[in-house]
Amino acid sequence: TIPVGLAEAAVGLKVFVGANVPTVADIDLYYRTLSPGEDVELDTVNYIKATPDNELPKSDNRDTFREYQYTIGGLAGTLNPFTTFQLKIVMRSQNSSKVPRIKDIRAIALGT
């Protein structure tokens, strides 16, 4: 995704991904953040793999989209305060004709 700037600092993210993931495939969500006043470019910050909140169900039915959830930093927000974040989804498959499809991505910044 493109970098998202926040008006106020946040300490966590709640991310929802609407996806169709075949049984031979997987998706991984990565994130990176930038603290207020940090003197680096976001492009130089490494991505961190997020852990899903729920078991990721899979389906070979191309019309079945499920909501995958990630609570980055927990509901209490344990990340260092940040005002910019960026998400990345990596899609993997063992069969090039059965690949994951993403319908939507929503992210909610969790405040202090």
Side-chain angles (χ1 to χ4, degrees):
T1 65
I2 60 170
V4 176
L6 304 173
E8 295 183 26
V11 290
L13 290 168
K14 182 73 175 179
V15 180
F16 304 90
V17 179
N20 168 263
V21 181
T23 55
V24 296
D26 281 302
I27 61 171
D28 295 316
L29 177 75
Y30 291 83
Y31 70 96
R32 59 184 174 187
T33 62
L34 195 59
S35 298
E38 203 168 348
D39 192 24
V40 297
E41 294 291 323
L42 185 61
D43 292 343
T44 64
V45 177
N46 291 330
Y47 280 100
I48 300 168
K49 185 176 179 182
T51 304
D53 293 350
N54 52 352
E55 181 64 33
L56 303 178
K58 299 178 180 184
S59 175
D60 287 324
N61 180 345
R62 290 184 47 84
D63 296 326
T64 302
F65 283 83
R66 295 196 169 101
E67 185 171 80
Y68 298 80
Q69 297 180 21
Y70 302 82
T71 306
I72 301 167
L75 289 176
T78 58
L79 298 179
N80 292 330
F82 61 90
T83 53
T84 304
F85 72 91
Q86 188 172 26
L87 302 173
K88 173 172 83 169
I89 294 180
V90 175
M91 298 181 278
R92 299 177 280 119
S93 181
Q94 298 173 6
N95 182 336
S96 62
S97 65
K98 293 185 178 183
V99 297
R101 295 184 310 143
I102 307 296
K103 182 164 55 171
D104 60 59
I105 302 171
R106 295 170 286 142
I108 301 169
L110 304 174
T112 56

